[in-house]
């Protein structure tokens, strides 16, 4: 009788664990979803007009690309008052994100942080379209491709879905054990 009860409990717990794992999102499935959506919406050039009268920009254009090896590239071109253009390209790996939040009061401007200086910021010469300089930083704040998705009426709640996917990946990345190069004796 006791053996039968224990067997029922073990079988019940096994089914419960199996059913929880079936619905759980995986790291690879999330990366694939991000890649698919970035490829679908990212190439669209989105122009943002600053709302403040004191802003130095006339407009900001964003494009986002998924680059092989789980890299995301965000190209941001700012047109300043007087017609001067400044272009920055941010490159980072999905696996390096450790925190993603959306800017207070906005659902489509994200602050993406990495554990160390894993974001490469390249300033582009607008005349030659070649990189002028490169810096390493630990975060990028940008409006990504979400406006284009909304304007095209493609998917509901795309901003919150991206935020959840990015936060899921950041949580996985933050939980991974850190490997440090230890000095040999």
């Amino acid at each position: 009788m006791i053996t039968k009860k224990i067997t029922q409990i073990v079988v019940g717990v096994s089914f419960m664990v199996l059913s929880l794992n079936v619905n759980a999102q995986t790291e690879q499935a999330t990366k694939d979803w991000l890649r698919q959506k970035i490829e679908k919406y990212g190439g669209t050039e989105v122009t943002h007009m600053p709302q403040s009268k004191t802003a130095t920009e006339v407009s900001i254009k964003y494009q986002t690309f998924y680059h092989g090896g789980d890299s995301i590239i965000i190209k941001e071109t700012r047109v300043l008052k007087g017609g001067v253009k400044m272009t920055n390209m941010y490159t980072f790996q999905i696996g390096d994100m450790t925190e993603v939040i959306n800017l207070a009061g906005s659902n489509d401007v994200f602050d993406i942080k990495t554990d160390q200086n894993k974001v490469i910021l390249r300033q582009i010469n607008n005349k030659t379209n070649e990189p002028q300089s490169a810096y390493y930083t630990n975060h990028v704040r940008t409006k990504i491709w979400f406006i284009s998705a909304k304007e095209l009426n493609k998917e509901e709640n795309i901003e919150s879905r991206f935020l959840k996917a990015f936060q899921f990946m950041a949580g996985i990345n933050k939980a991974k054990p850190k490997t440090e190069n230890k000095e040999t004796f």
Side-chain angles (χ1 to χ4, degrees):
M1 182 77 155
I2 293 175
T3 309
K4 188 175 182 180
K5 288 266 188 207
I6 292 174
T7 305
Q8 288 175 339
I9 291 170
V10 169
V11 169
V13 169
S14 297
F15 283 130
M16 190 171 78
V17 169
L18 273 174
S19 65
L20 288 175
N21 286 336
V22 168
N23 294 327
Q25 193 65 279
T26 66
E27 181 177 357
Q28 190 57 50
T30 304
K31 285 180 180 180
D32 291 344
W33 185 87
L34 286 167
R35 185 189 77 250
Q36 177 191 26
K37 298 302 178 187
I38 290 171
E39 287 173 350
K40 184 175 184 177
Y41 297 122
T44 305
E45 195 172 276
V46 178
T47 302
H48 171 68
M49 304 303 227
Q51 303 299 314
S52 168
K53 291 183 181 189
T54 60
T56 58
E57 297 97 359
V58 175
S59 67
I60 308 169
K61 293 182 180 182
Y62 298 95
Q63 285 182 291
T64 305
F65 306 97
Y66 194 89
H67 193 63
D70 295 331
S71 291
I72 294 177
I73 299 173
I74 299 169
K75 185 177 180 182
E76 175 185 274
T77 303
R78 296 175 179 272
V79 179
L80 305 176
K81 290 178 181 173
V84 176
K85 285 185 182 179
M86 290 177 39
T87 301
N88 293 323
M89 274 182 43
Y90 301 91
T91 306
F92 60 93
Q93 299 285 321
I94 290 176
D96 290 335
M97 294 185 303
T98 56
E99 183 182 355
V100 181
I101 59 171
N102 57 338
L103 204 56
S106 174
N107 64 347
D108 57 2
V109 177
F110 288 3
D111 195 5
I112 300 169
K113 296 183 180 179
T114 61
D115 199 14
Q116 298 171 351
N117 290 334
K118 300 279 183 130
V119 177
I120 303 170
L121 164 59
R122 289 187 177 89
Q123 293 179 330
I124 308 297
N125 182 320
N126 285 305
K127 291 178 183 167
T128 64
N129 213 23
E130 296 292 321
Q132 284 179 188
S133 53
Y135 305 95
Y136 290 90
T137 181
N138 70 342
H139 93 14
V140 55
R141 178 179 292 159
T142 189
K143 183 182 214 77
I144 306 184
W145 53 90
F146 307 119
I147 291 179
S148 62
K150 264 198 292 198
E151 288 173 354
L152 296 172
N153 284 331
K154 294 292 183 186
E155 296 181 38
E156 270 188 60
N157 302 321
I158 194 74
E159 300 93 341
S160 62
R161 292 169 62 206
F162 267 105
L163 182 61
K164 286 178 185 175
F166 279 147
Q167 287 176 334
F168 177 76
M169 288 307 304
I172 287 174
N173 299 335
K174 206 170 194 175
K176 288 181 181 174
K178 306 291 183 250
T179 56
E180 296 180 22
N181 294 336
K182 297 190 178 190
E183 186 177 344
T184 57
F185 295 91

